[in-house]
């Protein structure tokens, strides 16, 4: 085996699970060096992402002590699989019961960022049972504030980052249709996994955006170096996308099409369709979804209405698009399923799913060698 050429070794190793490869690093120094190469880790990740044997992890709004804080659903087979192969990060023993619920912030390249309450944040790799606990951020939270965390990857620096937004609540205007607004955003903090520390940015969040909306049930944002939020104006209408550049650590705004921003009768979700940012409009029980796609990133004139997906199965609760352009929904029969609009096929992942309103986040599990700070537990 020591005499095999690297390309042949790579062809063998790339077919194995990350946990098996982690053990093989202990065989010899040469194998450890080979399996630790960034080029191999990225090749293995690409192979895992393109693998059709995908699994969706559905996290619920339940406390750590609940028997099933999440369930796993294979995308190619309509049966439940055990979740024993995934270990959750340790809960803070001092946390109150109300704050011991695990909340998934985001997932990129097989790494999952989650928190207990607003203070204990983890980045973990479920494939390797490796977890890193982030140090405390500098600006403390207090009553009357709301905190938004997001997780993304900066390809320019090969770094994973956590972005913390913190806003002070204020009273909405008389014309506002939403229940609360943010009167001021505090200074933004960014955690760099490569540096292992937080820092305050000089860039401020756009002051005229009074609320951000992030019902992003599916973790599909933050892979290409940007994070996105839907932004509301003083009247409570969605009218812009606020984007954060993870490399430059700056904000910018992306206007929505006029016809889309003026539509207040349908729910709006941000997502990714065919690798491009999109906005999805839907009404519960409406049976159809409109999808607007930005063909050229950041160019407002490039918004195009690509899809009007209509199906009897799209009638109850809509979670968004997966990375394989399938629609993740719960239909009127309570079935949790994936619908393929191109093939007009649906795949039932769970026969009974009456907990759509208790879903916190849906993660596409990716077997990955992406590393975090601590060793394997």
């Amino acid at each position: 085996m020591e005499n095999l050429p690297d390309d042949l070794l790579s062809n063998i190793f790339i077919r194995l699970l990350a946990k098996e490869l982690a053990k093989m690093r202990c065989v010899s120094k040469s194998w450890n060096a080979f399996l630790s190469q960034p080029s191999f880790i990225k090749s293995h990740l690409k192979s895992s992402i393109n693998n059709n044997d995908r699994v969706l992890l559905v996290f619920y709004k339940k406390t750590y002590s609940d028997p099933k804080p999440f369930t796993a659903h294979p995308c190619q087979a309509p049966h439940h699989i055990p979740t024993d192969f995934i270990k959750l990060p340790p809960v803070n023993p001092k946390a109150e019961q109300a704050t011991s619920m695990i909340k998934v912030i985001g997932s990129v390249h097989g790494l999952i960022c989650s928190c207990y309450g607003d203070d204990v944040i983890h980045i973990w790799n479920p494939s390797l049972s490796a977890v890193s606990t982030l140090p405390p951020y500098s600006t403390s939270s207090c009553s009357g504030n709301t905190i938004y965390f997001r997780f993304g990857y900066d390809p320019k620096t090969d770094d994973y980052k956590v972005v913390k937004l913190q806003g002070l609540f204020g009273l909405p205007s008389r014309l506002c249709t939403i229940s609360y607004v943010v009167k001021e955003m505090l200074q933004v903090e960014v955690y760099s996994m490569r540096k292992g520390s937080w820092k305050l940015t000089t860039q401020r969040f756009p002051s005229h955006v009074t609320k951000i909306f992030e019902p992003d049930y599916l973790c599909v944002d933050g892979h290409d170096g940007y994070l996105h939020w839907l932004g509301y104006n003083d009247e409570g209408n969605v009218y812009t996308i606020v984007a954060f550049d993870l490399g430059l650590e700056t904000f910018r705004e992306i206007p929505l099409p006029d016809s889309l921003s003026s539509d207040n009768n349908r729910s709006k979700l941000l997502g990714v369709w065919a690798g491009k940012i999109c906005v999805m409009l839907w009404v519960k029980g409406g049976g159809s979804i409109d999808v607007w796609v930005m063909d050229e990133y950041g160019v407002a004139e490039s918004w195009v209405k690509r899809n009007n997906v209509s199906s009897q199965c799209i009638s109850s609760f809509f979670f968004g698009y997966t990375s394989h352009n399938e629609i993740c929904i719960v239909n009127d029969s309570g079935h949790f399923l994936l619908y393929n609009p191109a093939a007009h096929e649906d795949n039932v992942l769970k026969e009974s799913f009456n907990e759509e309103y208790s879903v916190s986040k849906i993660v596409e599990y990716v077997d990955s060698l992406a590393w975090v700070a601590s060793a394997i537990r």
Side-chain angles (χ1 to χ4, degrees), residues 34-59:
F34 182 86
L35 296 174
S36 300
Q37 291 177 1
S39 58
F40 175 78
I41 293 174
K42 290 179 180 179
S43 296
H44 182 267
L45 176 65
K46 184 178 180 180
S47 175
S48 297
I49 292 174
N50 293 330
N51 189 353
N52 286 326
D53 297 331
R54 296 173 294 121
V55 176
L56 292 183
L57 305 179
V58 180
F59 289 83

Short mmCIF file of all heavy atoms in Angstrom, two decimals, residues 34-59:
data_model
loop_
_atom_site.label_atom_id
_atom_site.label_comp_id
_atom_site.label_asym_id
_atom_site.label_seq_id
_atom_site.Cartn_x
_atom_site.Cartn_y
_atom_site.Cartn_z
N PHE A 34 -1.18 12.49 3.74
CA PHE A 34 -1.99 12.46 2.53
C PHE A 34 -3.45 12.81 2.83
O PHE A 34 -4.06 13.64 2.13
CB PHE A 34 -1.92 11.07 1.88
CG PHE A 34 -2.69 10.97 0.59
CD1 PHE A 34 -2.09 11.34 -0.60
CD2 PHE A 34 -3.99 10.50 0.58
CE1 PHE A 34 -2.80 11.25 -1.80
CE2 PHE A 34 -4.70 10.42 -0.60
CZ PHE A 34 -4.11 10.79 -1.79
N LEU A 35 -4.02 12.21 3.88
CA LEU A 35 -5.43 12.41 4.20
C LEU A 35 -5.70 13.77 4.84
O LEU A 35 -6.86 14.17 4.97
CB LEU A 35 -5.92 11.29 5.14
CG LEU A 35 -5.89 9.89 4.55
CD1 LEU A 35 -6.25 8.85 5.62
CD2 LEU A 35 -6.87 9.78 3.38
N SER A 36 -4.64 14.46 5.24
CA SER A 36 -4.79 15.79 5.83
C SER A 36 -4.58 16.91 4.82
O SER A 36 -4.72 18.09 5.17
CB SER A 36 -3.80 15.97 7.00
OG SER A 36 -4.02 15.00 8.00
N GLN A 37 -4.24 16.56 3.60
CA GLN A 37 -4.02 17.57 2.58
C GLN A 37 -5.33 18.31 2.27
O GLN A 37 -6.38 17.67 2.08
CB GLN A 37 -3.51 16.94 1.28
CG GLN A 37 -2.10 16.39 1.35
CD GLN A 37 -1.69 15.71 0.06
OE1 GLN A 37 -2.46 15.68 -0.90
NE2 GLN A 37 -0.50 15.16 0.04
N PRO A 38 -5.32 19.64 2.24
CA PRO A 38 -6.54 20.39 1.90
C PRO A 38 -7.15 19.97 0.57
O PRO A 38 -8.37 19.96 0.42
CB PRO A 38 -6.05 21.84 1.86
CG PRO A 38 -4.85 21.87 2.75
CD PRO A 38 -4.19 20.54 2.57
N SER A 39 -6.30 19.62 -0.40
CA SER A 39 -6.82 19.22 -1.72
C SER A 39 -7.63 17.93 -1.62
O SER A 39 -8.68 17.80 -2.26
CB SER A 39 -5.67 19.05 -2.71
OG SER A 39 -4.73 18.08 -2.24
N PHE A 40 -7.15 16.96 -0.81
CA PHE A 40 -7.91 15.73 -0.66
C PHE A 40 -9.20 15.97 0.11
O PHE A 40 -10.25 15.41 -0.23
CB PHE A 40 -7.08 14.65 0.04
CG PHE A 40 -7.87 13.39 0.31
CD1 PHE A 40 -8.11 12.49 -0.71
CD2 PHE A 40 -8.40 13.14 1.56
CE1 PHE A 40 -8.87 11.35 -0.49
CE2 PHE A 40 -9.16 12.00 1.80
CZ PHE A 40 -9.40 11.11 0.76
N ILE A 41 -9.14 16.77 1.18
CA ILE A 41 -10.33 17.07 1.98
C ILE A 41 -11.41 17.70 1.11
O ILE A 41 -12.59 17.36 1.21
CB ILE A 41 -9.97 17.98 3.17
CG1 ILE A 41 -9.07 17.21 4.16
CG2 ILE A 41 -11.22 18.49 3.88
CD1 ILE A 41 -8.53 18.05 5.29
N LYS A 42 -11.01 18.61 0.21
CA LYS A 42 -11.97 19.26 -0.67
C LYS A 42 -12.50 18.28 -1.72
O LYS A 42 -13.68 18.33 -2.08
CB LYS A 42 -11.32 20.47 -1.34
CG LYS A 42 -11.06 21.62 -0.38
CD LYS A 42 -10.40 22.80 -1.06
CE LYS A 42 -10.15 23.93 -0.06
NZ LYS A 42 -9.48 25.09 -0.69
N SER A 43 -11.65 17.37 -2.21
CA SER A 43 -12.11 16.37 -3.18
C SER A 43 -13.11 15.41 -2.54
O SER A 43 -14.13 15.04 -3.15
CB SER A 43 -10.92 15.59 -3.74
OG SER A 43 -10.05 16.42 -4.47
N HIS A 44 -12.82 15.00 -1.30
CA HIS A 44 -13.73 14.12 -0.57
C HIS A 44 -15.05 14.82 -0.32
O HIS A 44 -16.13 14.22 -0.43
CB HIS A 44 -13.08 13.68 0.75
CG HIS A 44 -13.92 12.73 1.54
ND1 HIS A 44 -14.80 13.16 2.52
CD2 HIS A 44 -14.02 11.37 1.51
CE1 HIS A 44 -15.40 12.11 3.05
NE2 HIS A 44 -14.94 11.02 2.45
N LEU A 45 -14.99 16.11 0.03
CA LEU A 45 -16.20 16.89 0.28
C LEU A 45 -17.05 16.99 -0.99
O LEU A 45 -18.27 16.81 -0.95
CB LEU A 45 -15.84 18.29 0.78
CG LEU A 45 -17.00 19.27 1.00
CD1 LEU A 45 -17.90 18.78 2.11
CD2 LEU A 45 -16.46 20.66 1.30
N LYS A 46 -16.40 17.27 -2.12
CA LYS A 46 -17.12 17.37 -3.38
C LYS A 46 -17.81 16.06 -3.72
O LYS A 46 -18.96 16.04 -4.19
CB LYS A 46 -16.16 17.77 -4.50
CG LYS A 46 -16.83 17.99 -5.85
CD LYS A 46 -15.81 18.44 -6.89
CE LYS A 46 -16.49 18.65 -8.25
NZ LYS A 46 -15.50 19.09 -9.28
N SER A 47 -17.12 14.95 -3.48
CA SER A 47 -17.70 13.63 -3.74
C SER A 47 -18.91 13.39 -2.83
O SER A 47 -19.93 12.84 -3.26
CB SER A 47 -16.65 12.54 -3.52
OG SER A 47 -17.21 11.25 -3.65
N SER A 48 -18.82 13.81 -1.57
CA SER A 48 -19.92 13.63 -0.63
C SER A 48 -21.13 14.46 -1.03
O SER A 48 -22.27 14.00 -0.93
CB SER A 48 -19.48 14.01 0.79
OG SER A 48 -18.44 13.17 1.24
N ILE A 49 -20.89 15.71 -1.45
CA ILE A 49 -21.99 16.59 -1.84
C ILE A 49 -22.74 16.03 -3.04
O ILE A 49 -23.97 16.12 -3.14
CB ILE A 49 -21.46 18.01 -2.13
CG1 ILE A 49 -20.97 18.66 -0.83
CG2 ILE A 49 -22.53 18.87 -2.79
CD1 ILE A 49 -20.29 20.00 -1.04
N ASN A 50 -22.00 15.44 -3.98
CA ASN A 50 -22.61 14.90 -5.20
C ASN A 50 -23.21 13.51 -4.99
O ASN A 50 -23.82 12.96 -5.91
CB ASN A 50 -21.59 14.85 -6.32
CG ASN A 50 -21.15 16.23 -6.75
OD1 ASN A 50 -21.92 17.18 -6.67
ND2 ASN A 50 -19.91 16.36 -7.21
N ASN A 51 -23.03 12.95 -3.81
CA ASN A 51 -23.55 11.62 -3.53
C ASN A 51 -25.06 11.66 -3.44
O ASN A 51 -25.64 12.51 -2.78
CB ASN A 51 -22.94 11.12 -2.21
CG ASN A 51 -23.26 9.66 -1.95
OD1 ASN A 51 -24.03 9.03 -2.67
ND2 ASN A 51 -22.67 9.12 -0.91
N ASN A 52 -25.72 10.73 -4.09
CA ASN A 52 -27.19 10.69 -4.06
C ASN A 52 -27.75 10.08 -2.78
O ASN A 52 -28.94 10.20 -2.51
CB ASN A 52 -27.72 9.90 -5.26
CG ASN A 52 -27.61 10.68 -6.55
OD1 ASN A 52 -27.74 11.90 -6.54
ND2 ASN A 52 -27.35 9.99 -7.65
N ASP A 53 -26.90 9.42 -1.99
CA ASP A 53 -27.37 8.83 -0.73
C ASP A 53 -27.41 9.90 0.35
O ASP A 53 -26.69 9.85 1.35
CB ASP A 53 -26.45 7.68 -0.31
CG ASP A 53 -26.46 6.55 -1.31
OD1 ASP A 53 -27.49 6.37 -1.98
OD2 ASP A 53 -25.44 5.86 -1.43
N ARG A 54 -28.27 10.89 0.13
CA ARG A 54 -28.31 12.04 1.03
C ARG A 54 -29.25 11.80 2.20
O ARG A 54 -30.19 11.00 2.12
CB ARG A 54 -28.74 13.29 0.25
CG ARG A 54 -27.76 13.69 -0.84
CD ARG A 54 -28.29 14.83 -1.68
NE ARG A 54 -29.46 14.43 -2.44
CZ ARG A 54 -30.66 15.00 -2.35
NH1 ARG A 54 -30.85 16.00 -1.51
NH2 ARG A 54 -31.66 14.60 -3.09
N VAL A 55 -29.00 12.53 3.27
CA VAL A 55 -29.81 12.44 4.48
C VAL A 55 -30.18 13.85 4.93
O VAL A 55 -29.32 14.74 4.96
CB VAL A 55 -29.05 11.72 5.62
CG1 VAL A 55 -29.87 11.73 6.91
CG2 VAL A 55 -28.73 10.28 5.21
N LEU A 56 -31.45 14.08 5.25
CA LEU A 56 -31.89 15.34 5.82
C LEU A 56 -32.04 15.18 7.33
O LEU A 56 -32.68 14.23 7.80
CB LEU A 56 -33.24 15.76 5.23
CG LEU A 56 -33.28 16.16 3.75
CD1 LEU A 56 -34.68 16.62 3.37
CD2 LEU A 56 -32.28 17.26 3.45
N LEU A 57 -31.43 16.08 8.07
CA LEU A 57 -31.57 16.13 9.53
C LEU A 57 -32.58 17.21 9.86
O LEU A 57 -32.39 18.38 9.51
CB LEU A 57 -30.23 16.43 10.21
CG LEU A 57 -29.06 15.50 9.88
CD1 LEU A 57 -27.81 15.96 10.63
CD2 LEU A 57 -29.40 14.05 10.24
N VAL A 58 -33.67 16.82 10.52
CA VAL A 58 -34.73 17.77 10.89
C VAL A 58 -34.63 18.04 12.38
O VAL A 58 -34.84 17.14 13.21
CB VAL A 58 -36.12 17.22 10.53
CG1 VAL A 58 -37.21 18.23 10.91
CG2 VAL A 58 -36.21 16.90 9.05
N PHE A 59 -34.26 19.28 12.74
CA PHE A 59 -34.15 19.68 14.14
C PHE A 59 -35.46 20.34 14.58
O PHE A 59 -36.05 21.13 13.85
CB PHE A 59 -32.98 20.65 14.33
CG PHE A 59 -31.63 20.01 14.19
CD1 PHE A 59 -31.07 19.81 12.94
CD2 PHE A 59 -30.93 19.60 15.31
CE1 PHE A 59 -29.83 19.21 12.81
CE2 PHE A 59 -29.69 19.00 15.20
CZ PHE A 59 -29.13 18.80 13.94
#
